[in-house]
């Protein structure tokens, strides 16, 4: 490793370089000792360039960004390396060795950051406008009135509606997309030379995601900024980055022009990441995973030849025959004229108003089918799922399960129905009691329903343990997992635990509400494959809710598109993608990142 400071080696060739990272190593101190999160990585960022850093959770991409910003916290430490920043009109400076006081001069002013979760990044006690005004006055000598005018201009630049009124709103009063725009406005408030965007679109709908990406590109172009964009989605990487850096376990495994990396990947890890993302333009029988392309031997990644099975495409005639066979049966679930209203609190005795969340929708679901529900946040898809399960009020219309009206069931009758209707929620950590072991969490439904004749054998602890062990094994977890607690597992493992719990009572229908949206693409592929395998083994029927059309198309026999509480379009999955009839469906499809169809 060279010990000569990088800025002493600057030549004419580096005049357009804005940031140079050389041999950066970052470690964190944890309960189990020192964790090396970033291992000897190097890259250069030129003026006006966008570098995309992609990888799974734990790959070191966010730790790299935090190291550049000097935000590693007390447990994090840069153990070696240089981060050379070349600010306009100043001599190059190594951000690793700059004092914390001087770092304040650069952070937020010359280098700024947009974080993944805007709701947790903004203070809920202050208005959005106040927080941007505060950021401006921290770095610029302007009056409060001048900062307010500047904030309104920034809100206009990031295309927020009614900026003059919006500066008085609190974070909880804005949508996720609007909050992210506020964060972008704050990040560009001091006209930085570099902006670091850390997963800024992960929690957003595909259409909102597309508008945020366009906004970032336009701001970068108009302000001539450089950008480091961090993501786990190769589709987004293709949309925004000039240069791609692929990270795995703290190391750079591939670096190069984005198009070249995506079209002709050299490293097996990159090949696996590209392959495991559901592609809406082809229907695979099962999704490939990273482990199909590489394995670990003696701590090293070794490429292996993937089997042809991961590329097995389901013939269109087989898809059509399956759907025709399913629809010969009577529907297992029939929803007619479903309407759901939520009261809006009246003020000063005014007449109570209602928000119509779902507006008079009707559809059937057939035994063994997967019906995909897709649409943006607020379209009514989750509310529809909750109404079917009897988890919401204000419901009118008919919901029949196996020919029986269930919309008015209460008490013991509703509890008995829950044996056949189960749910897998979006957030696996929030779905599990942190004080209950995994074994107890999966066994709980068996205890609750043990008074029923078909579950009486589970009154005995030994029978419950045997059932839990089987379910854990079936979802790919060891029997020993039943003694551990949710915080001891990764996100993908926790979702497997939630699936095992949903299967405990041998249900007939499972509503999966965004079950993979919070997972890395490789873990997502594993969970989606598992759901398909379980459907075939247990004869399950799914209602699969998501805003990701690629994921929904892979899982579904038919897709129902919802918007503003109404059904926009309902057809077989292939027709929805290849021949959408409605403008809203076309908008959803056009917002899918183009890289999803780049790879061969």
């Amino acid at each position: 490793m060279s010990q000569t400071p990088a800025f002493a080696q600057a030549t004419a060739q580096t005049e357009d370089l804005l940031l140079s990272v050389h041999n950066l190593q970052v470690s964190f101190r944890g309960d189990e000792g020192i964790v090396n999160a970033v291992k000897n990585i190097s890259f250069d960022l030129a003026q006006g360039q966008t570098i995309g850093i992609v990888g799974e959770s734990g790959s070191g991409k966010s730790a790299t960004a935090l190291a550049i910003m000097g935000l590693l916290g007390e447990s994090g430490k840069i153990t070696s390396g240089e981060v050379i920043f070349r600010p306009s009109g100043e001599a190059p400076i190594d951000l690793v060795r700059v004092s914390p006081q001087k770092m304040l001069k650069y952070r937020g002013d010359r280098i700024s950051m947009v974080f993944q979760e805007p709701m947790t990044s903004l203070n809920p006690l202050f208005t959005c406008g106040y927080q941007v005004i505060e950021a401006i006055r921290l770095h610029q000598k302007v009056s409060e009135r001048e900062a307010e005018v500047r904030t309104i201009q920034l809100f206009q630049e990031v295309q927020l509606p009614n900026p003059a009124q919006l500066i008085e709103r609190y974070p909880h009063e804005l949508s996720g997309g609007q909050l992210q725009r506020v964060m972008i406005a704050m990040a560009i408030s001091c006209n930085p030379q570099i902006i670091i965007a850390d997963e800024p679109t992960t929690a957003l709908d595909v259409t909102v995601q597309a508008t945020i990406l366009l906004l970032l590109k336009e701001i970068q172009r108009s302000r001539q900024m450089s950008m480091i964009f961090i993501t786990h989605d190769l589709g987004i990487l293709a949309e925004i980055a000039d240069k791609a850096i692929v990270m795995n376990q703290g190391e750079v495994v591939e670096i190069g022009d984005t198009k070249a990396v995506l079209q002709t990947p050299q490293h097996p890890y990159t090949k696996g990441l590209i392959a495991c993302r559901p592609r809406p333009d082809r229907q695979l029988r099962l999704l490939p995973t990273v482990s199909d392309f590489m394995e670990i031997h003696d701590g090293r990644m070794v490429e292996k030849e993937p089997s042809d099975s991961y590329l097995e495409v389901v013939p269109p005639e087989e898809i059509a025959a399956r759907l025709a066979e399913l629809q010969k049966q009577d529907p297992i679930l029939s929803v007619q004229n479903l309407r759901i209203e939520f009261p809006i609190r009246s003020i000063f005795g005014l007449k109570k108003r209602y928000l119509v969340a779902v507006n008079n929708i009707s559809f059937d679901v057939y035994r063994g089918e997967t019906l995909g529900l897709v649409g943006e946040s607020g379209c009514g898809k989750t509310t529809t799922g909750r109404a079917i399960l009897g988890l919401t009020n204000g419901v009118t219309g008919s919901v029949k399960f196996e020919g029986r009206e269930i919309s008015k069931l209460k008490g013991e009758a509703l509890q008995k129905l829950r044996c056949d209707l189960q749910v897998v929620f979006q957030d696996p950590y929030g779905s599990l009691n942190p004080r209950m072991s995994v074994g107890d969490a999966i066994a709980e439904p068996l205890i609750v329903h043990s008074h029923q004749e078909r579950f009486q054998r589970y009154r005995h602890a030994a029978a419950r343990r045997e059932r839990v062990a089987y379910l854990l094994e079936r979802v790919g977890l060891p029997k020993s997992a039943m003694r551990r607690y949710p915080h001891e597992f990764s996100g993908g493992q926790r979702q497997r635990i939630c699936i095992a719990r949903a299967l405990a009572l041998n249900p007939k229908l499972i509503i999966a509400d965004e079950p993979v949206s919070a997972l890395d693409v490789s873990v997502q592929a594993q969970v989606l494959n598992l759901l398909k395998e379980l459907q075939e083994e247990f004869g399950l029927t799914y209602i699969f809710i998501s805003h990701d059309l690629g994921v929904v198309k892979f899982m579904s026999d038919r897709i129902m598109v919802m918007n503003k509480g109404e059904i926009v379009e309902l057809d077989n999955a292939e027709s929805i993608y290849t021949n959408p009839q409605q403008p809203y469906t076309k908008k959803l499809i056009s917002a899918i990142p183009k890289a999803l169809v780049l790879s061969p």
Side-chain angles (χ1 to χ4, degrees):
M1 186 196 314
S2 172
Q3 301 300 314
T4 307
F7 50 84
Q9 303 174 19
T11 64
Q13 286 92 342
T14 65
E15 286 180 358
D16 65 336
L17 291 184
L18 196 55
L19 188 78
S20 296
V21 175
H22 294 290
N23 303 319
L24 181 68
Q25 297 194 53
V26 177
S27 64
F28 287 90
R29 185 178 64 255
D31 294 337
E32 299 180 0
I34 302 298
V35 176
N36 296 315
V38 178
K39 305 170 185 176
N40 204 39
I41 75 165
S42 301
F43 63 88
D44 293 319
L45 177 67
Q47 184 72 42
Q49 184 183 38
T50 296
I51 286 180
I53 304 180
V54 68
E56 299 170 277
S57 297
S59 63
K61 55 190 189 297
S62 291
T64 300
L66 294 173
I68 293 169
M69 294 291 292
L71 293 173
L72 288 172
E74 293 183 2
S75 64
K77 181 182 179 182
I78 297 176
T79 54
S80 67
E82 302 169 330
V83 179
I84 309 304
F85 177 48
R86 300 175 177 84
S88 300
E90 298 181 30
I93 185 168
D94 186 356
L95 298 179
V96 172
R97 291 163 181 83
V98 74
S99 68
Q101 292 74 25
K102 195 167 184 181
M103 188 64 195
L104 289 174
K105 171 186 173 184
Y106 298 106
R107 187 192 305 129
D109 184 18
R110 304 296 186 88
I111 308 175
S112 63
M113 192 163 181
V114 179
F115 293 95
Q116 178 174 348
E117 287 289 347
M119 184 58 85
T120 57
S121 303
L122 292 167
N123 191 324
L125 300 179
F126 297 100
T127 64
C128 295
Y130 174 85
Q131 296 183 65
V132 179
I133 290 169
E134 184 183 40
I136 293 172
R137 297 194 71 196
L138 180 66
H139 295 284
Q140 299 179 17
K141 294 180 179 179
V142 296
S143 68
E144 186 172 347
R145 177 57 188 159
E146 289 173 317
E148 182 179 331
V149 171
R150 177 80 181 116
T151 298
I152 293 173
Q153 292 172 343
L154 287 166
F155 280 13
Q156 289 173 332
E157 186 174 356
V158 298
Q159 301 168 21
L160 281 165
N162 304 314
Q165 287 80 39
L166 207 135
I167 63 170
E168 301 298 330
R169 304 273 288 277
Y170 288 85
H172 72 273
E173 298 179 281
L174 275 63
S175 69
Q178 289 174 329
L179 285 174
Q180 201 58 283
R181 290 171 188 267
V182 171
M183 290 298 299
I184 293 170
M186 187 183 296
I188 65 174
S189 61
C190 297
N191 202 30
Q193 292 176 265
I194 300 173
I195 186 168
I196 300 175
D198 187 4
E199 301 268 16
T201 63
T202 296
L204 303 179
D205 293 323
V206 66
T207 51
V208 180
Q209 170 184 285
T211 59
I212 294 295
L213 293 176
L214 284 172
L215 175 64
L216 283 169
K217 287 195 285 188
E218 174 57 29
I219 289 173
Q220 182 196 21
R221 185 196 61 77
S222 63
R223 290 171 172 259
Q224 298 183 321
M225 295 187 307
S226 299
M227 181 159 59
I228 298 174
F229 194 98
I230 296 169
T231 182
H232 65 260
D233 192 325
L234 285 159
I236 293 175
L237 187 79
E239 292 286 304
I240 201 162
D242 308 308
K243 181 179 180 181
I245 298 174
V246 183
M247 291 188 68
N248 181 41
Q249 298 182 356
E251 298 179 313
V252 173
V253 297
E254 192 156 356
I255 186 169
D257 174 78
T258 301
K259 189 174 181 180
V261 167
L262 290 175
Q263 291 188 333
T264 55
Q266 301 301 306
H267 195 277
Y269 180 74
T270 312
K271 295 175 184 177
L273 280 185
I274 293 171
C276 67
R277 185 65 168 83
R279 283 181 46 173
D281 64 322
R282 79 170 55 155
Q283 186 64 36
L284 297 180
R285 199 171 298 280
L286 287 176
L287 291 172
T289 64
V290 170
S291 61
D292 289 315
F293 293 83
M294 55 169 277
E295 53 192 355
I296 307 297
H297 278 308
D298 300 326
R300 295 186 305 107
M301 288 179 286
V302 179
E303 183 170 8
K304 65 178 184 180
E305 193 67 32
S307 65
D308 292 337
S309 60
Y310 91 92
L311 281 176
E312 187 179 354
V313 177
V314 185
E317 54 272 17
E318 182 180 329
I319 296 172
R322 169 179 161 80
L323 190 56
E325 193 64 30
L326 291 171
Q327 293 180 331
K328 287 179 182 178
Q329 316 167 72
D330 291 331
I332 190 172
L333 182 78
S334 183
V335 176
Q336 296 295 321
N337 304 317
L338 184 69
R339 182 179 175 91
I340 306 168
E341 297 179 341
F342 296 119
I344 301 173
R345 186 178 299 172
S346 61
I347 303 175
F348 305 125
L350 298 175
K351 185 178 179 180
K352 184 180 284 188
R353 296 180 296 121
Y354 289 87
L355 170 69
V356 179
V358 176
N359 189 14
N360 200 39
I361 67 171
S362 300
F363 62 92
D364 294 328
V365 184
Y366 297 92
R367 193 179 302 275
E369 178 187 26
T370 298
L371 177 69
L373 265 63
V374 68
E376 297 170 283
S377 295
C379 71
K381 56 188 187 295
T382 292
T383 305
T384 299
R386 292 178 65 86
I388 293 168
L389 294 163
L391 296 176
T392 190
N393 297 318
V395 178
T396 59
S398 171
V399 179
K400 290 184 178 180
F401 179 72
E402 295 187 320
R404 176 191 178 197
E405 181 63 52
I406 64 171
S407 61
K408 303 297 187 292
L409 292 181
K410 297 185 183 301
E412 186 177 344
L414 179 60
Q415 186 186 63
K416 191 173 181 179
L417 177 72
R418 298 203 195 285
C419 299
D420 293 325
L421 271 68
Q422 286 290 307
V423 61
V424 178
F425 292 106
Q426 177 175 354
D427 178 10
Y429 194 71
S431 304
L432 295 168
N433 187 332
R435 297 186 177 186
M436 291 179 71
S437 69
V438 164
D440 288 342
I442 297 173
E444 187 179 28
L446 300 172
I447 296 172
V448 170
H449 293 277
S450 61
H451 65 281
Q452 295 187 40
E453 185 177 349
R454 58 176 166 155
F455 300 118
Q456 281 185 358
R457 67 182 181 277
Y458 296 120
R459 290 180 180 178
H460 305 290
R464 292 197 297 270
R465 280 196 301 272
E466 184 180 343
R467 176 69 173 164
V468 170
Y470 165 74
L471 290 168
L472 285 170
E473 180 184 357
R474 193 59 202 85
V475 299
L477 292 173
K479 178 181 176 180
S480 60
M482 69 172 70
R483 295 189 294 272
R484 295 161 63 190
Y485 287 82
H487 72 274
E488 300 179 74
F489 295 89
S490 69
Q493 289 172 324
R494 284 197 288 264
Q495 198 59 289
R496 288 170 182 266
I497 292 164
C498 290
I499 293 168
R501 184 177 60 180
L503 290 171
L505 298 170
N506 281 326
K508 297 174 181 176
L509 187 148
I510 293 178
I511 296 178
D513 189 1
E514 301 272 13
V516 297
S517 62
L519 305 179
D520 290 322
V521 287
S522 59
V523 180
Q524 172 183 280
Q526 295 169 14
V527 172
L528 293 176
N529 286 342
L530 173 64
L531 287 170
K532 280 214 166 189
E533 290 167 6
L534 293 172
Q535 181 176 41
E536 186 173 341
E537 179 177 342
F538 295 102
L540 295 169
T541 304
Y542 291 140
I543 295 178
F544 192 94
I545 300 171
S546 179
H547 63 261
D548 188 327
L549 198 55
V551 169
V552 170
K553 183 175 180 294
F554 170 74
M555 285 296 299
S556 304
D557 298 292
R558 291 184 300 149
I559 294 176
M560 186 168 86
V561 183
M562 293 188 68
N563 184 32
K564 297 179 181 178
E566 298 182 344
I567 297 174
V568 174
E569 198 162 349
L570 174 57
D571 205 341
N572 69 71
E574 190 63 30
S575 295
I576 288 286
Y577 178 71
T578 59
N579 189 29
Q581 299 300 304
Q582 300 300 319
Y584 180 75
T585 311
K586 293 175 182 177
K587 185 178 85 166
L588 288 181
I589 293 171
S590 67
I592 298 173
K594 301 301 180 290
L596 296 186
V597 294
L598 271 180
S599 55

